[in-house]
Amino acid sequence: MTEPTPAATHTAAAAPLGESSWALGAALAATQVPLALLRARGGAVHVVWVNDALASAVGHAPAEVVGADVLTDPRVRLSDPDAVRRADREPSVHPAVLRRADGRGVRCVVHVSPVPEQDGVPPGTFVAAVQDLTAELTASAEQAALVDEERRERRSLSLIARVSDMLADVDEPHGLREIADLLQAQVVARADFFLFDGGLWAAEGLGPAHARGTRHHGPPHRVLSHCPRDPVGQLLSGVRDGLVELDLTADHPDGTYAQWMSRHLLAAGAHGPDHRVVVQPVPGRRRIVGLLALRPRDGGGRAGLQPSERTVVELVARRVGLSIDNVRLYDREHRLAETLQRAMLPEQAEVDGLDVWTYYSPCADDAQVGGDWYDVLQIDPQTIGVVIGDVVGHDVEAAATMGQLRSVVRSYAFDITTPGPVLDRVDQLFSGMRIPRAASMVYAVLRRDDADGWLLQFSRAGHLPLLLVRGGAAQLVRGTGGRLVGFGSGGRATDELALVPGDVVVLYTDGLVERRDRSLRDGLGVLETVAADVTARDAAGIGEELLSHLADHPEDDVAVVVLRVPHADDDLADAVGPRRRRWALPSEPASIGRARHSVLRTCEAWGIADASNAELVVSELVANAVLHGWGHVALQLYDTGDGLRIEVEDANPAPPVTTDGHPGRVGGFGMQIVERLADWGWRQSRGGKVVWAKVRPGSLPAAGPRG
């Protein structure tokens, strides 16, 4: 390109400098701002001069640029070519992309200014200054990336916080399903939780298969063998760590966890087009407690999860794992405490000539063992001993003290037949043992005084008074009273009360009457009022009615013993009390006979005919609970008005199965018998499962062709 003529440099900007045209040209060529001189002619816009800065920016030598038509040159991509043709009229700005010699495109903005026509300046001449936007765009992209990363982190923290809030409600039966739904809404296309505790199962709640609050689908799957080609089993055993990719359509070995999980997820529709899921272990404190199966939004298996998504999934799994560990630890401690507590309590007492009903329930808000207890002793055919007591506290020490007191009272009761001297001996032993826990108790002895009546003798050691219900009136029987156990100085008094047929005596602990919003005196007044209005006429019905009014939300352990002296010709068919009965039975064969006796007595009290059907149904259901379940067995009876409803609960969540008997041995027809006598079903419960049966009215059905 030739040097600009002197006439070309005579502009308003150049005149004050007093410089020659060649000096101005040299300055423009040396500036770091990319510049070009363009000329529009005949529908084309040619480059007539460029400085070194522009040549360096595009990576082409000036000779390769000068003469090019910017409207047609492939190295220049203008956003609006027509606007560039008109650029010689007024200053304007044009976005453009310049392709460098290395093929990389440079996004830029071209600032165009027309040069006025004068001597030596042809028409259509204008100068173009090129602004490279690479740095600005890079900074903007980095800023956008930072903002996007911050937004993702904020969403992740919000998700983790919501998961923590959900885990705070451990009793929510669908807590894990809600967390999975949250992951599906924000992180992945599909999420499914599986819990592991002696087996693997798909879970919606936090609890183990046999724990309180569990919700799962089907029985737990237990592995048949340890297989090195079972990636899921290796995760559960701790052999592998981190994420595992599982192909649901692969040929997994029979009996493995991988095979079972693949079949379950395929049946649930949890797979994508490529049938791959990612399995994240859910770690507890010392072992794997579950698994989280994930399908990324765009598929791709493990590679489909972004690093930020992996972090969220791992944090969620850790929080869920710790919560599961806590729930299981609490559940084991609670079940152990309750088992120990109930092991120290007698079961439902059966006394000839006396209607006895007993009840115990630990405080629902306290996972520790308590100090409440009762006992009913058949000292001889004519003498019954009854004791109820309360040791302060809800811990192992309180339970140990309770167990010692129970054993001491039992041993003395068979040697001494008067309550006062029995408590004197208990005081002596208690003080000698230096037990640092206060305890109260009532010991009562009932003796037959004639054919129908009983003589009640009792002695109180700091315990609440007895309640006597006679002829529709209730009164507290305080007697002499006395100090707490271990604080007596000898000579405890024995009070007497003659009982006649129809009389009811209630012994209880403070959990039945004491509340934070009322005094103990007021609670005893409420007990008298409720007892006077009781309409039930058998001991179990009276106890149930008292509990329904007074123990719906107990704040402490509750123990109750109801003693009723029956009439010789007792007919309870027209009793109108609550038509519900419940018993807690140990998981042992003897409970089957006790359950049959209980249902017969209840049917008699309610006037339900054909009790033999109900007796047989109860026998089969309780037998199944004893043989196939674990923990205590709960039996409940309901009078629905058109039949008797029976419910039996145990801690085994596996459903009952109707079979055609067990080959080679007796049994296996229990549920077939139930089907012939009743409509039945089952449901999950907080403690395992409940099997229910509604006995059809009428006598036993006729025998079939095979007898």
Side-chain angles (χ1 to χ4, degrees):
M1 181 175 179
T2 60
E3 180 178 309
T5 63
T9 63
H10 293 169
T11 63
L17 297 176
E19 300 290 344
S20 61
S21 60
W22 64 266
L24 182 58
L28 293 176
T31 182
Q32 296 301 308
V33 177
L35 296 175
L37 194 65
L38 307 176
R39 182 173 298 139
R41 184 172 53 189
V45 179
H46 292 95
V47 180
V48 297
W49 174 83
V50 296
N51 65 353
D52 293 339
L54 180 58
S56 176
V58 297
H60 295 281
E64 298 175 351
V65 177
V66 173
D69 182 3
V70 298
L71 299 180
T72 60
D73 195 304
R75 295 172 296 180
V76 181
R77 188 167 74 248
L78 298 169
S79 61
D80 189 355
D82 292 336
V84 176
R85 290 188 180 94
R86 302 187 299 270
D88 59 338
R89 303 174 186 175
E90 59 183 7
S92 57
V93 178
H94 306 275
V97 177
L98 305 180
R99 193 176 68 190
R100 289 173 47 85
D102 57 9
R104 181 172 61 88
V106 180
R107 295 183 64 181
C108 58
V109 173
V110 182
H111 300 266
V112 177
S113 299
V115 179
E117 295 183 24
Q118 50 186 301
D119 293 342
V121 178
T125 302
F126 48 93
V127 63
V130 180
Q131 180 184 357
D132 189 349
L133 299 180
T134 302
E136 288 81 353
L137 292 175
T138 301
S140 177
E142 291 176 351
Q143 181 66 24
L146 289 175
V147 171
D148 188 57
E149 179 66 22
E150 182 179 354
R151 186 180 295 112
R152 285 198 301 269
E153 290 181 359
R154 190 178 297 112
R155 284 200 302 264
S156 299
L157 291 174
S158 175
L159 186 147
I160 298 300
R162 289 185 61 184
V163 168
S164 299
D165 291 340
M166 292 177 179
L167 292 173
D169 187 6
V170 297
D171 288 330
E172 168 56 42
H174 303 287
L176 290 183
R177 184 66 261 164
E178 291 183 358
I179 294 174
D181 292 342
L182 184 61
L183 289 174
Q184 290 176 190
Q186 300 190 23
V187 181
V188 295
R190 173 81 183 211
D192 292 273
F193 278 99
F194 297 82
L195 295 188
F196 180 67
D197 188 15
L200 188 67
W201 69 95
E204 294 184 354
L206 290 175
H210 56 271
R212 198 173 273 114
T214 184
R215 293 293 184 274
H216 65 279
H217 301 293
H221 170 73
R222 291 177 172 83
V223 69
L224 301 180
S225 63
H226 295 285
C227 179
R229 293 191 296 121
D230 182 6
V232 177
Q234 290 180 333
L235 275 182
L236 295 173
S237 62
V239 175
R240 298 183 64 169
D241 191 15
L243 295 174
V244 167
E245 184 175 286
L246 180 65
D247 186 349
L248 303 183
T249 59
D251 187 16
H252 300 290
D254 291 339
T256 59
Y257 287 114
Q259 183 192 58
W260 180 86
M261 178 179 280
S262 297
R263 291 177 177 176
H264 177 87
L265 292 175
L266 285 172
H271 57 88
D274 58 1
H275 296 91
R276 286 183 294 172
V277 298
V278 179
V279 183
Q280 164 71 44
V282 178
R285 289 177 176 83
R286 297 182 180 178
R287 64 186 183 92
I288 301 300
V289 298
L291 300 172
L292 174 57
L294 305 163
R295 177 165 59 86
R297 287 179 173 173
D298 297 326
R302 182 172 177 173
L305 282 180
Q306 301 298 322
S308 60
E309 295 172 341
R310 293 188 184 185
T311 301
V312 171
V313 168
E314 182 179 355
L315 290 175
V316 169
R318 289 187 179 277
R319 278 167 170 74
V320 170
L322 289 177
S323 296
I324 293 172
D325 242 5
N326 291 337
V327 168
R328 291 181 179 177
L329 178 61
Y330 172 85
D331 179 75
R332 291 189 181 106
E333 290 181 350
H334 187 79
R335 286 188 291 113
L336 175 61
E338 189 171 344
T339 300
L340 290 173
Q341 182 82 51
R342 293 194 179 277
M344 298 179 185
L345 297 175
E347 299 305 328
Q348 182 73 35
E350 303 297 339
V351 179
D352 185 26
L354 197 63
D355 189 5
V356 181
W357 181 83
T358 54
Y359 174 83
Y360 169 77
S361 176
C363 179
D365 296 331
D366 201 323
Q368 305 299 320
V369 291
D372 290 15
W373 91 96
Y374 66 83
D375 210 346
V376 179
L377 312 172
Q378 182 85 49
I379 298 175
D380 59 52
Q382 304 299 321
T383 308
I384 308 298
V386 181
V387 61
I388 194 163
D390 185 1
V391 177
V392 174
H394 293 87
D395 53 19
V396 175
E397 189 174 11
T401 302
M402 179 268 285
Q404 290 173 307
L405 279 174
R406 177 174 177 265
S407 299
V408 168
V409 173
R410 270 183 165 257
S411 61
Y412 291 154
F414 286 91
D415 293 335
I416 308 172
T417 58
T418 305
V422 171
L423 290 191
D424 286 338
R425 298 287 293 274
V426 174
D427 285 334
Q428 294 173 9
L429 185 61
F430 193 84
S431 59
M433 295 168 62
R434 300 184 181 277
I435 297 176
R437 290 297 178 94
S440 66
M441 62 179 290
V442 175
Y443 178 57
V445 173
L446 292 94
R447 294 186 179 88
R448 298 178 189 269
D449 60 357
D450 53 41
D452 297 325
W454 292 77
L455 176 65
L456 173 68
Q457 294 180 312
F458 67 95
S459 182
R460 287 198 303 133
H463 200 79
L464 297 172
L466 286 68
L467 178 70
L468 173 65
V469 182
R470 174 179 290 172
Q475 62 176 340
L476 296 173
V477 182
R478 301 180 182 276
T480 305
R483 293 176 293 274
L484 294 172
V485 177
F487 293 89
S489 57
R492 285 190 182 268
T494 298
D495 296 287
E496 294 186 355
L497 179 65
L499 301 179
V500 298
D503 283 355
V504 176
V505 176
V506 182
L507 296 86
Y508 53 93
T509 57
D510 56 2
L512 183 66
V513 295
E514 195 169 20
R515 299 291 181 272
R516 293 186 181 92
D517 58 351
R518 70 186 182 208
S519 66
L520 180 59
R521 182 186 297 273
D522 292 338
L524 292 174
V526 173
L527 173 62
E528 286 185 287
T529 302
V530 171
D533 294 335
V534 166
T535 56
R537 292 170 54 187
D538 62 320
I542 293 169
E544 289 289 349
E545 191 160 351
L546 291 176
L547 292 176
S548 65
H549 287 86
L550 299 172
D552 51 346
H553 295 92
E555 298 172 1
D556 199 354
D557 299 348
V558 177
V560 181
V561 177
V562 178
L563 308 170
R564 179 180 178 275
V565 181
H567 293 278
D569 55 346
D570 227 344
D571 182 9
L572 306 177
D574 57 349
V576 293
R579 312 290 268 187
R580 182 181 68 173
R581 300 289 185 269
R582 52 184 165 177
W583 293 266
L585 304 171
S587 185
E588 59 185 32
S591 295
I592 302 172
R594 294 173 184 170
R596 295 174 63 177
H597 181 78
S598 298
V599 73
L600 286 174
R601 190 174 61 182
T602 301
C603 288
E604 178 185 356
W606 290 348
I608 297 178
D610 300 315
S612 56
N613 289 11
E615 179 188 10
L616 190 53
V617 170
V618 164
S619 178
E620 295 298 337
L621 294 184
V622 174
N624 281 341
V626 169
L627 294 175
H628 306 296
W630 55 78
H632 279 74
V633 177
L635 168 64
Q636 298 199 68
L637 306 177
Y638 300 88
D639 181 8
T640 63
D642 59 348
L644 182 70
R645 180 182 175 91
I646 301 167
E647 293 188 357
V648 176
E649 180 179 8
D650 65 78
N652 184 355
V657 178
T658 302
T659 67
D660 292 328
H662 302 304
R665 57 190 176 94
V666 177
F669 296 98
M671 296 313 298
Q672 287 194 21
I673 295 174
V674 172
E675 281 186 346
R676 295 199 66 192
L677 301 178
D679 300 317
W680 73 279
W682 75 283
R683 68 176 186 273
Q684 294 291 336
S685 69
R686 293 176 62 87
K689 72 171 180 299
V690 172
V691 182
W692 61 268
K694 185 175 180 182
V695 181
R696 304 185 188 101
S699 58
L700 287 170
R706 293 184 295 177

